[in-house]
Every structure is written in structure tokens, then in C-alpha cells.
DNA sequence: CTGTTAGCGCTTTCAG
DNA sequence: CTGAAAGCGCTAACAG
């Protein structure tokens, strides 16, 4: 009952070997495209494999061979379109290789993050893609020391010198702010993202730099600290509009919060863009579909995913990290949520 | 250079065992929470594991133990919010177990689908979650025969008797159609989903039944075959509106196509809902945010993911399939894209 | 309660 | 070019 090869049971290289009349080592060679196999023999083995419906056991291969042909993707959560776009890019790129993808969600728990990284780096996966890492310092050193392949996505916190792909957050925020200034806005509210993320800081800095360049005082009361979620966009807009001297435009650090702003403004009976101009960041698909369509800073999310996957694959192949940090350009997408404040008169 | 345990190298149960002064079997027992270990010993081993930074190798565990503690998720693609919602539900549920999630994207290739299933069922994962399977017939039999645990999500094609979670598509479409009829619409256009999917058929049937119930002739020219993507919603709306006697309402089989309908109607200078009422299906987040917010049939996507994951976990635990098919209720969400056709006069 | 003994299915030297 | 042998790190009966 033990070695009885039932028809529907798993087929191992041994069975294939026996059927094909070769040793199992040869079968292994065929599987691994080893050159040292006579074409004739290879064909015979290949046919047998097909006939028997042989499927190599990845666990075993990885145990014996030392690599898993799997990469791990660590994301904070799955709640927003933002992550979805990035995953899509990664998936696209991976579909051309034969790497599998294991998905880990940290649910915004820094502890879980470090924990996962430790586990994953321990044989489960060959490389790691870390989206929006919270506390990379906790493990980047370990990873680097061990020479474990990884790429950071959308992170620009510490000045660590490691592979990462991000977007020109500073530039994007600067451009958008400047655009509002050129429309004639002088009181521009700003809602930040989670300030423990590098990108949030960069966006805030870009906003401030634009103001400075145009000699507009940077009033602290016009900056509201948000967290990238819609409710905070709503709250931020309310806070800003409640000011004695409210802003004529609000720049939210992402589209999701900008939608919260839209709601808040509408609920107060004000119109967009006539009364208040609104700008977002990311250019997630919804931003074009809401009413009014939101002027936003496009972040090439899907491309970021693709590029990151490419980088990781390269590192895996060459066994050395080549490029260090790639910044993909952001672009201002002007839609209908912004106009000159002078329009009010009209 | 071979067995030299460098400080930063991987720690195995052997090292832990040696350090703790027990046999490696005991360490294994501790890892697996086996009851047969003296509390005292367990503590000592646990401490040693911690100190040495031991992390169990999943590949090895799975090879030896015959299970991987990983489940596979097979989705057609990552392009739509639809899948995202489902994944979120699955992820939520999984976060309470210690199962890992491997993500496979078939990119709508039926061949790839069957292929993946074959591979996965071969040791890579302990169970399979299949979202919107294209050609389940290709492998359901194999899976069932092998008693391989799996759950189908949003599939109601063949009458196969296997674990699945879906929504009351027929009921949802019936209710929505009836709602339009009660508003006074008599010519109601319908844009189907991919007709190779069971849910599409059910929705079409629900639509037809509602018409029949209310003695409204079911005109074939009012049904346009779509594919669930936005462009087809656009095309479908154009085709329907080009009819000699165009419909006063259009019911699209999902929200994404409904958005295409919105575009098409607007591009023709007609207003929603004044000139044309529009109804969608799914209730993806965007549907509430576009202009005008779309009346739609809510499908509990996130919940479907959760329930499916629960079912699979149960099957995995009890090693038997318990429940067979769960239908989660749909619900009509009335928003601003629908009104009585008589409003035109107003 | 704990140690011993076999493998899981495959990759990899090392000899032919 | 091909076979034999030695593990990869761990689980799972068996004996104590």
C-alpha cells in the first residue's frame, strides 16, 4: 500500500525515470534544461513526462536547489486602488517570467512587517518587493547584510542606499501648487498624507517650496495632517474651511482624500471649482470619474510596479544589485476641479 | 567551508536542538505545538529559538509534512475593482489563520487556468480559491476525484455539485428590472456580461423574467451582448440608442459597463436620468462617486471573499466539504441615475 | 515525555 | 553524456 503507484497519485521523477528507462538524475537534468543530455534521451523523457502527467514539486526543488522561484510582495493593505495599480504592474511583469507571487498584507502593522520580512527572507521566497514600507530601518540592514534581494516601492524615507522605485513626489507637489498659484490662488490649503511615510513629507515640501518661490507666506494653519484615507480628507477640508480666512483651493496629498474634500465642500453648499478648487495626487482611475473630475498629479503606479519587478528580476538573475533608485516622473493632469479664484465673480 | 555555521547563516532545528540540549525531534514538536513536551523543556527550546533567531523553513515542512499552509488564489486578472474587493475579503479572513496566500493571474486564458490548477494541486498549495473560473469543467472533475480542497467564487455555470459562493444574480437582476418597470419604463435595454460566465446568464434571465412577469414583451434588439468591460458598455449604449425606437432605460450587467453607458449617453447630449435611466450591477466603490451616482445592484463582494475563505479553511480543517453552495443576497441600491420616464415632460 | 529512524521529491557533486 | 550517492530541513511513526 505504500509504494503502490495508483493512477491518479502524484508522479515523481522516479516513475518517469523508470518508464523512460533512464536514471532519475537524467530526468532531473531534463527538468532543469541541463545541456548534458542527449537530445534523443531528452525527447524520450519529455514524452514520458507528458504521458504520465508529471508536475515537478516546487517544494522539493526549492528545498534541494536552494531557491523557490517565488517572490514575496509585502503591502500595507488592499483597501485602495493605489495598491491595486501597483500589483497590476508587478503581475504583468511577472507573467513573463516563471516566478510565483506570494502576497502578504501587513494591515499597517509595523511589527508584522518586520516579522514577515524575517520569515520570508528565510527560504520562502527568493526576493522581496516592499510596497510603502513603514519601518524599513527595522530590517533593511539585515536584508542588505544577508544580500537578500529586495526592492522598495514608493519609499523615500531614510537615505539608505538600496534599490527602490518611487515617483517625483516633490516635483509633482511643486508643480501642482505652482499651477494653483498661477491660477491666482494665494491661500492654498494642504492636507498631508501619513507623515511617517517619506512620500508624504516630499509632497509637503514640494508644496512649501512652490509657495516660497512665489513669495507666498506659508501659513501653518493651512496645513492639515491627514492619513491618506477619505475620512481625513473630509475632516481636513472642514477644518480648513472653518478658518476665519479659509483657503480658495485645497491640495490633498492623494485622490482618496481629495474625494473626501469634494464631499465636505458639497455638504457645505459650496461649489467646485467655483468656490473652492481641489487638487489630488495619484490619478487613480476614480479621480477621472467622480464629479467633477479631479485635477491631480499622476503617479505612474502601474509602471512603478513593473519597474520594481524588473529590477528585482535583474537582481535575482545577476545576483547583484545594479541600479539603486529610480524615480518615475509625475505629471499634472488638469481636469475640472480647479479654476481661477477670480471666477467667483463670474 | 561547508558545515561552518556562520553567525548570520540559517539556523536549523539541529542547531537549536544542540543549543537547548535536546534532540531535534523535540524542537520539531515545539514548533508544531505538540502536547507531548514538558512545559519546562518547551520553554527552554522556545528561548533558544528566539536567541538564535530560528525561523522554520516552510519548504521543508511542507515537503516532509505533506502540507504547505498556503492556499492559492486564482483570478482572471487584476484590472477591476471587482476582484480587488473579493481579494480584500479573502485577505481579511486569512489574516486570522496562519495561511499564506499565493496569487495567480490567468489573464483570462483558459489554458493557463487549467494548467495552474494542475500545478497548484500538486503540492504547492493546500487548497484553491477560484474566482470567476472560465472553464472549471476542465479540472473540477480532477480536483474532486483527488479530493483536493477548493472553493469556486462567483460561478454558477454547470450544475456540478461543488463548494461555491456566489450571489443571487437572478434575483438582483429581477429586482432591478422590476424597479425600472415600476418607475414606468417599458423599453429597457440590457447589456449582458461575458456569456460564458454563469452569472451573466443568470442576470439576463432575471431581466427577462421581470419583463415577463409584468407582461412586457422581451424584444431581442434590446439585449446587447457585452463583456463586462467599459468599452463594451459604451458600444452597447450606442447600439441601443441608435435603435429606431430606443429604450428609456439601460441596465448594464456590471458597474464598469454602466460607466461606459454614462459616457455614451453624455456624448450624445442626453441627460441622465432625465432622458435615459441607467442601472449597474456590483456596487463597486466608484459607482457611488461618479456623476450621477449610479443606481445599482449590490453584490457583497468583500463578503463573498470572506465566506469563500472560511469555507476553504473549514474544508481544510475537517478534511471534508461541508456546505455546497452559498448564495449571498444582492440588494438594489437606488441612487441618482434612474427616474421615471414621465419626468421627461417635466 | 523524548530520542531514533525513515523518508518527502528533488538538486548536485562525483565518478564513470 | 549518464548513473550513484549524499543531502536540503523538517515531519512522522516507532520505540523507549
Amino acid at each position: 500500500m505504500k509504494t503502490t503507484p495508483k493512477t491518479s497519485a502524484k508522479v515523481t521523477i522516479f516513475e518517469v525515470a523508470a518508464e523512460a528507462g533512464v536514471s532519475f538524475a537524467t530526468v532531473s537534468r531534463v527538468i532543469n534544461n541541463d545541456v548534458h543530455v542527449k537530445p534523443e534521451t531528452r525527447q524520450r523523457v519529455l514524452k514520458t513526462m507528458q504521458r504520465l502527467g508529471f508536475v515537478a514539486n516546487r517544494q522539493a526543488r526549492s528545498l534541494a536547489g536552494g531557491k523557490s522561484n517565488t517572490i514575496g510582495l509585502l503591502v500595507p493593505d488592499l483597501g485602495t486602488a493605489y495598491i491595486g495599480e501597483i500589483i497590476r504592474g508587478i503581475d504583468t511583469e511577472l507573467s513573463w517570467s516563471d516566478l510565483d507571487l506570494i502576497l502578504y498584507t501587513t494591515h499597517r502593522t509595523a511589527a508584522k512587517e518586520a516579522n514577515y520580512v524575517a520569515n520570508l527572507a528565510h527560504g520562502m521566497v527568493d526576493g522581496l518587493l516592499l510596497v510603502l514600507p513603514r519601518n524599513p530601518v527595522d530590517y533593511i540592514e539585515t536584508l542588505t547584510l544577508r544580500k537578500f534581494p529586495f526592492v522598495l516601492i514608493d519609499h523615500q524615507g531614510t537615505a539608505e542606499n538600496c534599490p527602490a522605485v518611487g515617483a517625483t513626489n516633490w516635483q509633482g507637489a511643486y508643480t501642482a501648487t505652482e499651477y494653483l498659484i498661477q491660477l491666482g490662488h494665494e491661500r492654498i490649503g494642504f492636507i498631508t498624507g501619513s507623515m511617517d511615510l517619506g512620500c508624504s513629507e516630499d509632497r509637503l515640501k514640494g508644496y512649501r517650496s512652490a509657495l516660497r518661490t512665489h513669495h507666498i507666506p506659508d501659513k501653518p494653519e493651512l496645513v492639515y495632517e491627514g492619513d491618506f484615507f477619505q475620512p481625513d480628507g473630509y475632516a481636513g477640508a472642514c477644518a480648513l474651511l472653518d478658518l476665519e480666512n479659509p483657503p480658495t483651493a485645497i491640495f490633498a496629498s492623494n485622490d482618496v482624500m481629495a474625494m473626501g474634500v469634494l464631499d465636505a465642500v458639497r455638504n457645505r453648499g459650496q461649489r467646485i471649482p467655483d468656490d473652492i478648487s481641489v487638487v489630488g495626487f495619484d490619478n487613480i482611475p476614480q479621480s477621472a470619474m467622480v464629479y467633477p473630475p479631479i485635477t491631480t498629479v499622476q503617479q505612474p503606479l502601474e509602471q512603478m510596479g513593473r519597474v520594481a519587478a524588473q529590477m528585482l528580476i535583474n537582481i535575482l538573475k545577476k545576483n547583484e544589485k545594479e541600479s539603486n533608485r529610480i524615480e518615475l516622473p509625475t505629471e499634472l493632469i488638469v481636469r475640472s476641479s480647479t479654476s481661477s479664484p477670480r471666477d467667483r465673480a463670474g
Side-chain angles (χ1 to χ4, degrees), chain A:
Chain A
M1 204 60 163
K2 213 159 203 172
T3 345
T4 314
K6 284 183 28 190
T7 318
S8 71
K10 301 184 210 191
V11 186
T12 72
I13 46 173
F14 290 89
E15 271 135 70
V16 177
E19 282 285 320
V22 295
S23 86
F24 69 88
T26 302
V27 177
S28 174
R29 290 197 182 93
V30 171
I31 295 171
N32 294 288
N33 277 313
D34 191 311
V35 211
H36 307 294
V37 181
K38 208 197 304 178
E40 191 183 308
T41 314
R42 178 187 303 283
Q43 280 315 311
R44 189 150 36 92
V45 173
L46 246 22
K47 284 235 174 64
T48 315
M49 277 171 40
Q50 195 117 69
R51 186 156 52 78
L52 264 43
F54 169 81
V55 179
N57 179 322
R58 288 190 97 126
Q59 324 289 317
R61 295 187 72 177
S62 117
L63 219 209
K67 58 203 176 66
S68 61
N69 279 314
T70 300
I71 72 164
L73 171 60
L74 208 62
V75 301
D77 64 61
L78 261 13
T80 63
Y82 165 89
I83 304 277
E85 290 290 302
I86 294 180
I87 298 187
R88 251 183 55 213
I90 295 171
D91 180 64
T92 304
E93 203 56 37
L94 253 38
S95 70
W96 294 331
S97 74
D98 67 335
L99 291 165
D100 281 340
L101 214 221
I102 297 206
L103 181 67
Y104 288 88
T105 315
T106 61
H107 296 287
R108 306 194 166 262
T109 319
K112 243 184 160 179
E113 189 176 301
N115 198 34
Y116 273 145
V117 171
N119 276 285
L120 292 170
H122 244 273
M124 184 86 257
V125 300
D126 294 340
L128 232 29
L129 249 22
L130 305 159
V131 178
L132 224 48
R134 262 358 224 203
N135 286 52
V137 264
D138 288 1
Y139 47 80
I140 280 186
E141 206 189 352
T142 319
L143 252 28
T144 311
L145 223 70
R146 279 231 216 113
K147 299 195 164 220
F148 192 86
F150 71 101
V151 175
L152 262 27
I153 299 180
D154 206 352
H155 166 75
Q156 35 263 106
T158 53
E160 306 278 355
N161 192 33
C162 53
V165 13
T168 54
N169 285 293
W170 184 93
Q171 183 61 51
Y174 183 95
T175 308
T177 308
E178 189 164 55
Y179 165 73
L180 286 171
I181 294 172
Q182 278 160 358
L183 279 179
H185 294 278
E186 300 214 325
R187 288 187 66 78
I188 302 172
F190 187 84
I191 302 178
T192 77
S194 306
M195 290 311 288
D196 54 344
L197 256 26
C199 58
S200 301
E201 212 167 296
D202 288 354
R203 290 176 199 175
L204 178 56
K205 282 184 190 152
Y207 157 80
R208 287 197 168 129
S209 294
L211 293 182
R212 214 172 309 127
T213 302
H214 292 272
H215 309 292
I216 295 178
D218 168 19
K219 314 244 169 128
E221 75 267 24
L222 287 179
V223 174
Y224 180 91
E225 186 168 338
D227 63 358
F228 279 138
F229 289 104
Q230 188 151 349
D232 250 36
Y234 191 97
C238 291
L240 291 169
L241 295 174
D242 276 342
L243 292 174
E244 278 185 57
N245 194 359
T248 58
I250 296 179
F251 181 7
S253 287
N254 73 353
D255 288 340
V256 172
M257 290 197 299
M259 289 176 197
V261 174
L262 252 43
D263 275 351
V265 173
R266 261 199 294 259
N267 277 358
R268 293 168 153 259
Q270 295 189 281
R271 286 163 313 158
I272 299 166
D274 311 84
D275 300 319
I276 304 281
S277 285
V278 176
V279 175
F281 208 111
D282 282 354
N283 191 29
I284 58 176
Q286 288 101 303
S287 63
M289 299 197 282
V290 296
Y291 185 77
I294 303 175
T295 293
T296 190
V297 180
Q298 169 168 52
Q299 239 193 133
L301 298 172
E302 208 252 351
Q303 199 193 345
M304 281 166 58
R306 281 225 309 280
V307 171
Q310 277 167 17
M311 283 176 67
L312 187 58
I313 292 174
N314 272 338
I315 298 176
L316 252 29
K317 251 193 286 213
K318 304 187 179 176
N319 202 25
E320 56 165 51
K321 58 176 179 181
E322 41 166 32
S323 41
N324 258 317
R325 161 164 261 287
I326 294 184
E327 295 246 302
L328 265 19
T330 50
E331 186 188 350
L332 182 67
I333 309 284
V334 176
R335 289 200 273 249
S336 322
S337 66
T338 43
S339 70
S340 162
R342 288 165 202 123
D343 285 353
R344 290 197 203 194

